[in-house]
Amino acid sequence: MDILHIVANRSMEVGMPLQMAFGITARDVRAVLVKNAAKVVCTSDTTTDVLAAKLFHSFSEEEMDDIALAAMDAFLEDKPEADGAHRAIRRILIKRGVLDVSRRVSEKHAVSVPARQSAVFATAHN
């Protein structure tokens, strides 16, 4: 059994959700949105902070565990936990259609944009 499974099993034994061991917050979601601002599918009056909070609170237990495991993997590879967590969050946002990775945008066009309420963001708003 590898260290990843030992830590995961131990956190379950003590009744602590895996994601709580790594302090995942809406700030992590916001960081991913800001870093990928040019790839956010829709824009409107919703701020990045509000969208990040709504997305964070819409994550399932399984998604939160995936993010926590990615953070743990990064730690075990001597990388910042946030890097692993942010990669996992990015994958979730792509899967949900919040980010469109097919867009090619130059660095000078990458600006922070608020997200729009639409069907694409339904999971974040319900």
Side-chain angles (χ1 to χ4, degrees), residues 18 24 61-71 84-85 88 91-92:
L18 183 60
I24 301 161
E61 287 294 315
E62 183 179 328
E63 289 170 325
M64 292 293 282
D65 286 346
D66 289 344
I67 295 166
L69 286 170
R91 282 191 301 271
I92 292 167

Side-chain angles (χ1 to χ4, degrees), residues 40-93:
V40 174
V41 173
C42 303
T43 61
S44 80
D45 295 333
T46 302
T47 67
T48 303
D49 289 334
V50 170
L51 178 60
K54 289 180 178 182
L55 285 165
F56 173 75
H57 291 292
S58 73
F59 287 161
S60 68
E61 287 294 315
E62 183 179 328
E63 289 170 325
M64 292 293 282
D65 286 346
D66 289 344
I67 295 166
L69 286 170
M72 214 175 353
D73 284 340
F75 173 78
L76 294 173
E77 295 170 2
D78 291 326
K79 297 177 183 172
E81 290 176 14
D83 290 356
H86 292 182
R87 279 191 303 274
I89 292 167
R90 183 175 182 271
R91 282 191 301 271
I92 292 167
L93 298 183

